[in-house]
Amino acid sequence: MVEDAPELMHPASVRRALLTWSDAGVTGPSPSHHSPRPASDRGPVLRLLDQDESRYDVAWVLSIPAGEPPARSLCRSLEARVPAVELVLVDVDDPSDYARLFLALGPLVARAKAELSGVAIDVLLSSGTPQAQTLWVILVQAGLLPARMLQVIPPAFVPVPHPRAVREVRLDVEGFPEIRALRDELARLRAESRAAASPLVGQSAPMIELRSRIARVAASDAPVLVLGETGTGKELAAREIHARSPRAEGPFVAENCGVFTEGVLASELFGHEAGAFTGAGKRRRGVFEQAHGGTLFLDEVGELHPRVQAALLRVLQEGALRRVGGEGRVSVDVRVVAATHRDLAAMVKGGAFREDLYYRLRGATIEVPPLRARGEDVDLLVETFLAELRARRGGGRRQRVTREAMRALASYGWPGNVRELRAEVMRWGVFCDEVIDVGDLAPEIKAGEGEGAAKGGPSTTERAGGTRTLREVVEGAERSAIARALAAEGGNLSRTARALGIDRNTLKRKMRGFGIAGGGDEG
């Protein structure tokens, strides 16, 4: 079915490209089936450019070698309207040969994807042989060429000024039951394959429920709010939602809203124009544009400044943004998955977070359980991290954990959650031999401090009636605080030192003394 498109215009700020066959004919006698073109008819390519909404930054004019001279003349006419015009010779001598045309257009499609990435592409169906027009349709409908198809209405059917002499061509193939069934089966098989390789490790009831809820949520295109304590794996959950969604082939872009100042965050989210502020030497796309067609993960949305909250709400409502320092609107097609460890509902009641933005982000809610709520997964996580450690070292020694040490790990409260457990396992790779025993564990794990801190009760040692020296208590508290801060700041030493209120060198010295594996300043 062919439909008139309700709207042909792209946003003015989006760069646009036109791909079209030359309509200027060939050198020498015209084919017998061609009727002479009336002098008043300038051809579909120029008639397309006569339309007010048909403005292009780039035009590629395709021609077979026999049509090169007249095609060059057409290109010269286009140069008055289009900044960059290129003649592309397609090496076929018979433009009605489907097979030759298809093979010849392959490199052109690959080049268009590489050079016109992020550019809105139009293909003109009104010029070229019927075989060439058919191949445009096949390439676009099969998803091989990301473009829309345009048709210029022939003058014979527009005897008087026509309100719209150009229409967008859309072919509805959704009505075929066989196509729907194959698509559904493919989606199911892909979902099963991705589930088998899920990064969300664990066989406990909370993890089974989490994966089940993710599968249900991923099938829709609704925004998702992921809740959970720091270090539980909220980004892993967001990546799983993306991987099991219809947008899986699109980009996944992650941004931490808590590490930038207000002005910098606006530029990171929405991009900026050249000269928008000091140091903005050229235009930069923000993460919304980078995630176009895919999923944008916004971590720590509870840290958003009120003005950035207002700008984010407008983008979510309108599906379009305005770059910092820019005037034009840029359309974006993005699914937003937001995450926070804060109580957003309480922040809304306290006036710290916009209520309308909260409900816009909370299309569906997923809560990632803390590690203490799924202690039976600890041994599986430890084995997973040990395997990761071996892979990073290129094989070598195989470490194992004694039963007593595993019991201590399972009974610890893990205030830093899975991130803290992974850091502990990575530390073993530096400081421990083949067998990991209780004595090799971090002091607070041996003392069970994490459980007491997490639940607000006394530590394991205190409950058993044991007494430690003041130095042991202080060192245990310091090590626990450093481990939690490192987990919260993703291992970034500078941010961890600021959070703890100490000098970075002091932090590094204490980490060496406690045997804590070093982080870095990336991220």
Side-chain angles (χ1 to χ4, degrees), residues 222-225 288 294-298 312 316 334-338 361:
V224 182
L225 182 61
F288 265 94
T295 303
L296 175 60
F297 175 59
L298 297 178
L312 176 59
L316 296 179
V334 171
R335 182 188 196 176
V336 172
V337 178
L361 294 173

Side-chain angles (χ1 to χ4, degrees), residues 314-322 329-332:
R314 180 172 294 275
V315 173
L316 296 179
Q317 288 175 332
E318 300 179 359
L321 59 85
R322 184 176 289 111
R329 287 160 51 86
V330 181
S331 291
V332 287

Side-chain angles (χ1 to χ4, degrees), residues 34-270:
H34 280 196
S35 57
R37 178 187 293 171
S40 60
D41 183 3
R42 304 170 63 233
V45 179
L46 292 176
R47 291 183 66 231
L48 171 65
L49 296 180
D50 286 340
Q51 308 303 308
D52 290 338
E53 69 267 24
S54 299
R55 291 186 291 271
Y56 294 97
D57 302 285
V58 179
W60 290 359
V61 178
L62 282 62
S63 173
I64 64 174
E68 179 178 358
R72 290 197 180 279
S73 177
L74 173 62
C75 289
R76 286 193 290 271
S77 300
L78 295 182
E79 286 171 351
R81 312 275 193 90
V82 182
V85 179
E86 180 179 346
L87 175 61
V88 180
L89 291 179
V90 179
D91 189 18
V92 295
D93 52 14
D94 180 2
S96 67
D97 187 331
Y98 281 111
R100 293 282 302 278
L101 277 174
F102 186 78
L103 292 175
L105 288 177
L108 176 78
V109 171
R111 182 185 165 201
K113 286 184 176 180
E115 297 185 16
L116 301 178
S117 175
V119 178
I121 302 174
D122 290 344
V123 295
L124 182 60
L125 300 182
S126 300
S127 58
T129 62
Q131 292 78 11
Q133 296 166 359
T134 302
L135 286 178
W136 280 139
V137 173
I138 292 173
L139 291 169
V140 172
Q141 291 295 124
L144 300 175
L145 178 62
R148 65 176 185 171
M149 301 178 290
L150 300 182
Q151 176 191 16
V152 176
I153 302 172
F157 300 101
V158 194
V160 294
H162 194 275
R164 179 170 290 163
V166 179
R167 66 163 63 102
E168 181 177 354
V169 178
R170 296 177 179 173
L171 300 178
D172 180 13
V173 295
E174 297 296 324
F176 293 97
E178 296 87 353
I179 293 176
R180 286 205 309 270
L182 286 173
R183 184 183 293 115
D184 293 344
E185 178 70 3
L186 179 61
R188 184 185 66 80
L189 292 173
R190 283 178 171 171
E192 289 180 359
S193 175
R194 286 190 290 263
S198 172
L200 296 171
V201 176
Q203 294 302 322
S204 62
M207 289 304 293
I208 293 173
E209 172 62 24
L210 174 64
R211 286 194 291 267
S212 172
R213 187 164 176 79
I214 284 176
R216 192 177 306 119
V217 167
S220 74
D221 207 36
V224 182
L225 182 61
V226 182
L227 304 176
E229 297 177 7
T230 297
T232 51
K234 296 187 289 294
E235 182 171 340
L236 287 179
R239 288 184 180 275
E240 186 76 350
I241 292 170
H242 171 73
R244 302 180 69 172
S245 76
R247 295 174 175 265
E249 301 302 320
F252 177 91
V253 181
E255 187 65 272
N256 189 325
C257 301
V259 299
F260 298 105
T261 61
E262 174 194 349
V264 175
L265 180 59
S267 174
E268 289 291 321
L269 293 178
F270 312 124

